[in-house]
């Protein structure tokens, strides 16, 4: 709460997981409610918990916001280590850089668990009937 005082207003938590091979990254993106349909709405904070580390590339978190007129002035690389926890402003551009070099193990994966904290969020309709 010290660095993200707005999180005390969070009413919802959205979670998802990724299981990626060493050379697989994840495109730079802005977290947004309902994929930006109806306007971009960002979470208060976004978090990443690295479950399985030592494989794959780092998470890149920038200072770039979707409304900025200039490119990001700063960025941070956070390498995937087991039990590493990252939290950042939910409105900034971020992604995963692909892993480099020899694949440590063809069966090992970069496993991460993400949680975004929201003041309000639009529900997603179910695809199953």
């Amino acid at each position: 709460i010290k660095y993200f005082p707005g999180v005390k207003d969070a009413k919802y938590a959205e979670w998802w997981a990724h299981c990626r091979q060493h050379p697989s990254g994840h495109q730079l993106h802005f977290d947004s409610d309902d994929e930006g349909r109806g306007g971009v709405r960002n979470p208060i904070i976004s978090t990443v918990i690295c479950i399985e580390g030592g494989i794959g590339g780092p998470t890149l978190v920038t200072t770039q916001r979707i409304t900025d007129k200039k490119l990001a002035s700063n960025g941070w690389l956070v390498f995937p280590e087991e039990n590493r926890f990252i939290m950042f402003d939910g409105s900034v551009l971020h992604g995963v850089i692909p892993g480099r070099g020899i694949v440590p193990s063809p069966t090992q994966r970069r496993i991460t668990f993400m949680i975004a904290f929201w003041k309000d969020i639009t529900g997603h309709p179910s695809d199953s009937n």
Side-chain angles (χ1 to χ4, degrees):
I1 292 184
K2 177 180 176 181
Y3 297 104
F4 300 101
V7 79
K8 69 181 181 309
D9 298 324
K11 296 179 185 173
Y12 303 95
E14 172 189 29
W15 62 269
W16 63 102
H18 288 163
C19 179
R20 300 186 186 278
Q21 295 178 328
H22 181 68
S24 298
H26 188 74
Q27 74 275 2
L28 290 173
H29 64 281
F30 298 96
D31 288 345
S32 179
D33 180 19
D34 203 19
E35 303 301 325
R37 289 182 278 259
V40 175
R41 293 173 301 280
N42 305 114
I44 300 166
I45 63 168
S46 294
T47 67
V48 179
I49 303 164
C50 189
I51 306 297
E52 183 75 30
I55 190 164
T59 298
L60 169 63
V61 179
T62 75
T63 56
Q64 180 81 36
R65 289 186 171 73
I66 202 164
T67 56
D68 289 349
K69 303 292 185 213
K70 294 182 179 181
L71 293 176
S73 58
N74 289 302
W76 297 267
L77 292 174
V78 183
F79 287 84
E81 296 296 332
E82 188 174 332
N83 297 321
R84 180 158 282 166
F85 178 71
I86 309 164
M87 71 177 159
F88 53 92
D89 183 320
S91 68
V92 298
L93 184 67
H94 62 283
V96 177
I97 307 300
R100 290 186 47 185
I102 298 171
V103 177
S105 166
T107 59
Q108 194 176 3
R109 301 286 188 267
R110 179 187 196 272
I111 302 172
T112 51
F113 181 71
M114 283 68 62
I115 306 170
F117 292 89
W118 299 84
K119 185 174 183 177
D120 194 17
I121 189 169
T122 302
H124 300 276
S126 173
D127 291 334
S128 61
N129 291 324

